[in-house]
Amino acid sequence: MKHNKHYASASSLRMAEMAATFAEQQKKEGNENAGTMGGFFSNIMNPKYQNDLPLDREGKEGTDMFIQEDRYLQAYATYFSKFIDAYRIEGIDIFGVMPQNEFNSAQVFPSCCWTAAGLANFIGKYLGPAMQEQGVEVIFGTMERRTVPPTYGSQSPYANMGETKNHGIDAELKWNSKIGQHFNYFVKVNLSLSESRIIEKDDPPATPIQQQDEGKPIGWQSGLISTGLYQTWNAVYNSTISSYSSNLIPGSLSYVDYNGDGIIDVFDMVPIADPSYATKTYAFSLGFNWKGFGVHAMFNGMFDISKYISDLYLFEYTGHHPLGFQLLNNEQLDAWTPTNTDGEHPALHLSSNNHDKQRSTYNVRSSAFLRLKTLEVKYKIGKRLQDKIGLFESFEVYVNGNNLATWSDLPDEFDPEQSQLEVYPITKRYNLGLRVSF
């Protein structure tokens, strides 16, 4: 059968050499369609530009292992173009490329680990335009078939199927002005909004719409809807049966039986939160200078982002302690008791309580924040004094700080910018120094 299009990705340009050898051999055997038959499948994941990482170092999932600088990203896009050109020289037409088969695979290759923002930046600014010039599509990974019946008798096959859509907007405004002869000030604001949505997915026909991937943002989060805590034994006895525990007590979390089948289970999971990666970010800076005295501040933040709070932090029985539990956060100090029925935290337990631990609106929380990222106050001596001293061309004293304040609904123990909400305090830095030129 003759095919006019091929899908291919490769681990190096060596794959192109293999393709050329194959095509040449087919032609020698009299196959006139050698250039348009079959195809090769591998990953474009091992370019020359590997950030010089040692081979014994694995990538870290949820991070950009590839250096996010123009020269590296442009070189990687150029690598794709050369790969396609090498195939075309041998008469093999490539219709689509895939930047990485598994976008979050911890390996030694930097191209195997990306954040959503990093991959969107690479494809939108570098790979996309390069492939558009080549007339080649950019394809996002492989998807496992979800509609294969259990009578198939083997694991689900993989296929390049499904459709996603990514769009967004970046805006920046800047204002510089002057009041009087000596007072200069500026304000700068930027905003970035993006969305990656699943347009088409191989969802089984019987999947409830609230649990289908199709039509939802990439990275959407599902969970149970919590309505608060049971306050009395009567409320517990009249509650919906939980598939996660038969030992509910007053102070246990109450969940919504979304599908109304009389049991709390995975089929009651629904979209409960925004994606856990940054899709909406903003920053603004402002400052002024007056007779050598200057102040500069920069704020940044995110919104419409939610993350799961670690069990190790949230629940007392997950702490590593001989007693089996320990109080790790202030919320546990406000746990439900018969005398503290307004407590925010579920009743404390000495052993694991699988019911309360389920992903829900209780432990998936908004990670929106506003941060005073940098603040600097400085003074630069005037030209007259410089001339009198006669030692410097310029002399400036400054004091600055980083991560000075963060406003967020999360507990203070968390840095909302971390990919996972483990206990990781925000590092603050203060500097006092001189800037001198001679």
Side-chain angles (χ1 to χ4, degrees), residues 25-326:
Q25 181 64 32
Q26 292 296 304
K27 289 177 180 179
K28 288 181 179 179
E29 295 177 5
N31 186 351
E32 297 298 328
N33 296 323
T36 58
M37 293 193 64
F40 291 90
F41 181 86
S42 56
N43 298 317
I44 301 183
M45 57 181 286
N46 187 20
K48 179 180 179 181
Y49 305 95
Q50 289 190 10
N51 300 1
D52 295 324
L53 289 177
L55 294 178
D56 60 349
R57 176 180 172 185
E58 290 189 353
K60 184 178 180 182
E61 294 184 1
T63 62
D64 286 313
M65 295 301 294
F66 212 95
I67 297 176
Q68 297 296 295
E69 295 180 10
D70 177 78
R71 55 175 177 162
Y72 294 101
L73 297 173
Q74 187 60 60
Y76 194 25
T78 301
Y79 173 83
F80 276 76
S81 296
K82 290 184 175 180
F83 174 83
I84 293 168
D85 290 339
Y87 265 84
R88 284 176 174 166
I89 290 175
E90 302 301 328
I92 299 175
D93 187 36
I94 303 300
F95 82 92
V97 298
M98 185 169 58
Q100 167 58 14
N101 182 39
E102 299 172 351
F103 299 111
N104 208 19
S105 178
Q107 300 183 36
V108 297
F109 309 112
S111 59
C112 289
C113 285
W114 299 84
T115 64
L119 188 61
N121 178 57
F122 170 60
I123 294 175
K125 295 182 179 179
Y126 304 93
L127 183 61
M131 294 301 97
Q132 188 174 17
E133 291 182 4
Q134 293 276 2
V136 171
E137 298 179 16
V138 178
I139 299 173
F140 283 90
T142 58
M143 297 183 180
E144 185 175 3
R145 295 296 302 270
R146 301 178 63 192
T147 55
V148 176
T151 55
Y152 178 67
S154 182
Q155 67 179 16
S156 300
Y158 289 85
N160 290 301
M161 58 190 307
E163 180 181 353
T164 63
K165 178 181 180 181
N166 179 275
H167 58 274
I169 184 173
D170 294 314
E172 180 175 303
L173 298 174
K174 187 173 182 179
W175 176 267
N176 294 283
S177 189
K178 188 175 184 180
I179 300 176
Q181 184 177 357
H182 302 289
F183 190 87
N184 300 283
Y185 70 94
F186 75 93
V187 178
K188 181 179 179 181
V189 180
N190 60 66
L191 175 69
S192 178
L193 306 176
S194 65
E195 183 192 63
S196 298
R197 186 169 292 272
I198 302 170
I199 305 301
E200 181 182 343
K201 181 67 180 291
D202 190 34
D203 288 308
T207 303
I209 190 171
Q210 69 272 14
Q211 295 188 340
Q212 293 179 8
D213 288 329
E214 186 171 298
K216 296 182 177 65
I218 294 176
W220 70 280
Q221 300 188 72
S222 67
L224 299 171
I225 300 174
S226 173
T227 58
L229 303 173
Y230 292 121
Q231 295 297 321
T232 64
W233 280 108
N234 187 55
V236 174
Y237 293 145
N238 288 280
S239 66
T240 305
I241 296 173
S242 172
S243 66
Y244 305 109
S245 175
S246 60
N247 299 314
L248 302 185
I249 61 173
S252 296
L253 285 170
S254 171
Y255 299 128
V256 172
D257 180 18
Y258 192 86
N259 66 351
D261 64 354
I263 186 170
I264 302 297
D265 54 21
V266 294
F267 299 107
D268 297 307
M269 298 280 187
V270 298
I272 60 171
D274 297 302
S276 60
Y277 58 90
T279 59
K280 299 176 177 64
T281 63
Y282 63 94
F284 59 93
S285 56
L286 62 162
F288 70 88
N289 290 283
W290 178 72
K291 294 185 177 180
F293 179 76
V295 177
H296 177 272
M298 194 272 278
F299 296 81
N300 75 308
M302 301 179 187
F303 60 99
D304 287 354
I305 180 172
S306 301
K307 297 177 184 177
Y308 177 78
I309 295 182
S310 169
D311 286 349
L312 184 61
Y313 170 85
L314 198 56
F315 296 107
E316 61 283 352
Y317 43 79
T318 56
H320 301 294
H321 192 277
L323 295 179
F325 75 99
Q326 57 183 338

Side-chain angles (χ1 to χ4, degrees), residues 282 284 298-302 369-374 402-407 414-418 426-427:
Y282 63 94
F284 59 93
M298 194 272 278
F299 296 81
N300 75 308
M302 301 179 187
F369 71 92
L370 170 63
R371 172 172 293 166
L372 176 54
K373 188 69 174 180
T374 61
N402 298 87
N403 299 327
L404 299 180
T406 301
W407 296 271
F414 293 116
D415 181 351
E417 285 192 281
Q418 291 293 314
I426 300 172
T427 302

